[in-house]
Short mmCIF file of all heavy atoms in Angstrom, two decimals:
data_model
loop_
_atom_site.label_atom_id
_atom_site.label_comp_id
_atom_site.label_asym_id
_atom_site.label_seq_id
_atom_site.Cartn_x
_atom_site.Cartn_y
_atom_site.Cartn_z
N ASP R 299 15.81 -34.36 18.27
CA ASP R 299 15.85 -33.14 19.07
C ASP R 299 16.50 -32.04 18.24
O ASP R 299 17.21 -32.28 17.27
CB ASP R 299 16.61 -33.37 20.38
CG ASP R 299 18.04 -33.77 20.15
OD1 ASP R 299 18.89 -32.86 20.02
OD2 ASP R 299 18.32 -34.98 20.10
N SER R 300 16.26 -30.79 18.63
CA SER R 300 16.70 -29.64 17.85
C SER R 300 18.21 -29.43 17.86
O SER R 300 18.74 -28.79 16.96
CB SER R 300 15.99 -28.36 18.33
OG SER R 300 16.26 -28.14 19.70
N VAL R 301 18.90 -29.98 18.87
CA VAL R 301 20.35 -29.82 18.93
C VAL R 301 21.04 -30.75 17.93
O VAL R 301 21.94 -30.33 17.20
CB VAL R 301 20.88 -30.06 20.36
CG1 VAL R 301 22.40 -30.06 20.40
CG2 VAL R 301 20.32 -29.02 21.32
N SER R 302 20.57 -31.98 17.85
CA SER R 302 21.23 -32.94 16.96
C SER R 302 20.78 -32.82 15.50
O SER R 302 21.52 -33.18 14.60
CB SER R 302 21.01 -34.37 17.45
OG SER R 302 19.65 -34.72 17.40
N ASN R 303 19.55 -32.31 15.27
CA ASN R 303 19.05 -32.18 13.90
C ASN R 303 17.96 -31.12 13.87
O ASN R 303 16.77 -31.44 13.89
CB ASN R 303 18.52 -33.53 13.41
CG ASN R 303 18.01 -33.47 11.98
OD1 ASN R 303 17.90 -32.42 11.37
ND2 ASN R 303 17.66 -34.64 11.44
N GLU R 304 18.34 -29.85 13.83
CA GLU R 304 17.36 -28.76 13.89
C GLU R 304 16.32 -28.85 12.78
O GLU R 304 15.13 -28.81 13.07
CB GLU R 304 18.08 -27.40 13.87
CG GLU R 304 17.24 -26.25 14.42
CD GLU R 304 16.13 -25.79 13.48
OE1 GLU R 304 16.28 -25.91 12.26
OE2 GLU R 304 15.11 -25.32 13.99
N PRO R 305 16.70 -29.01 11.52
CA PRO R 305 15.67 -29.06 10.47
C PRO R 305 14.72 -30.25 10.64
O PRO R 305 13.54 -30.14 10.35
CB PRO R 305 16.46 -29.18 9.18
CG PRO R 305 17.84 -28.72 9.49
CD PRO R 305 18.06 -29.02 10.94
N GLY R 306 15.22 -31.36 11.12
CA GLY R 306 14.39 -32.55 11.27
C GLY R 306 13.55 -32.57 12.52
O GLY R 306 12.71 -33.45 12.71
N SER R 307 13.74 -31.60 13.42
CA SER R 307 13.06 -31.60 14.71
C SER R 307 11.67 -30.97 14.67
O SER R 307 11.01 -30.88 15.69
CB SER R 307 13.92 -30.87 15.75
OG SER R 307 14.02 -29.49 15.44
N HIS R 308 11.22 -30.55 13.49
CA HIS R 308 9.93 -29.88 13.33
C HIS R 308 8.86 -30.84 12.80
O HIS R 308 9.17 -31.77 12.08
CB HIS R 308 10.05 -28.71 12.33
CG HIS R 308 10.97 -27.64 12.78
ND1 HIS R 308 10.53 -26.53 13.47
CD2 HIS R 308 12.31 -27.49 12.64
CE1 HIS R 308 11.56 -25.75 13.73
NE2 HIS R 308 12.65 -26.30 13.23
N GLY R 309 7.62 -30.53 13.13
CA GLY R 309 6.49 -31.26 12.59
C GLY R 309 5.26 -30.37 12.60
O GLY R 309 5.27 -29.27 13.16
N PHE R 310 4.18 -30.84 11.97
CA PHE R 310 2.94 -30.06 11.95
C PHE R 310 1.76 -30.96 11.63
O PHE R 310 1.92 -32.07 11.11
CB PHE R 310 3.00 -28.92 10.93
CG PHE R 310 2.89 -29.39 9.50
CD1 PHE R 310 1.65 -29.48 8.88
CD2 PHE R 310 4.02 -29.75 8.77
CE1 PHE R 310 1.54 -29.92 7.56
CE2 PHE R 310 3.92 -30.20 7.46
CZ PHE R 310 2.68 -30.28 6.85
N VAL R 311 0.59 -30.46 11.93
CA VAL R 311 -0.66 -31.05 11.47
C VAL R 311 -1.56 -29.89 11.04
O VAL R 311 -1.59 -28.84 11.68
CB VAL R 311 -1.34 -31.94 12.54
CG1 VAL R 311 -1.71 -31.15 13.77
CG2 VAL R 311 -2.54 -32.65 11.97
N LYS R 312 -2.25 -30.08 9.91
CA LYS R 312 -3.13 -29.04 9.38
C LYS R 312 -4.50 -29.66 9.15
O LYS R 312 -4.60 -30.73 8.53
CB LYS R 312 -2.57 -28.47 8.08
CG LYS R 312 -3.42 -27.36 7.49
CD LYS R 312 -2.77 -26.75 6.26
CE LYS R 312 -3.63 -25.60 5.78
NZ LYS R 312 -2.96 -24.84 4.73
N PHE R 313 -5.53 -28.98 9.65
CA PHE R 313 -6.89 -29.48 9.48
C PHE R 313 -7.84 -28.32 9.31
O PHE R 313 -7.51 -27.17 9.60
CB PHE R 313 -7.30 -30.36 10.68
CG PHE R 313 -7.33 -29.65 12.00
CD1 PHE R 313 -8.52 -29.14 12.51
CD2 PHE R 313 -6.17 -29.50 12.75
CE1 PHE R 313 -8.54 -28.51 13.73
CE2 PHE R 313 -6.20 -28.87 13.98
CZ PHE R 313 -7.38 -28.37 14.47
N SER R 314 -9.03 -28.61 8.80
CA SER R 314 -10.03 -27.56 8.64
C SER R 314 -11.32 -27.99 9.31
O SER R 314 -11.62 -29.18 9.44
CB SER R 314 -10.27 -27.25 7.16
OG SER R 314 -10.76 -28.38 6.49
N VAL R 315 -12.08 -26.98 9.75
CA VAL R 315 -13.36 -27.19 10.42
C VAL R 315 -14.34 -26.12 9.96
O VAL R 315 -13.94 -25.06 9.49
CB VAL R 315 -13.22 -27.15 11.96
CG1 VAL R 315 -12.48 -28.36 12.49
CG2 VAL R 315 -12.56 -25.86 12.41
N LEU R 316 -15.61 -26.41 10.14
CA LEU R 316 -16.65 -25.44 9.85
C LEU R 316 -17.13 -24.80 11.14
O LEU R 316 -17.33 -25.50 12.14
CB LEU R 316 -17.85 -26.13 9.18
CG LEU R 316 -17.68 -26.58 7.75
CD1 LEU R 316 -18.88 -27.43 7.32
CD2 LEU R 316 -17.53 -25.39 6.83
#
Side-chain angles (χ1 to χ4, degrees):
D299 61 87
S300 59
V301 173
S302 64
N303 181 352
E304 201 286 331
S307 67
H308 297 267
F310 74 91
V311 62
K312 182 175 183 171
F313 62 97
S314 62
V315 290
L316 288 171

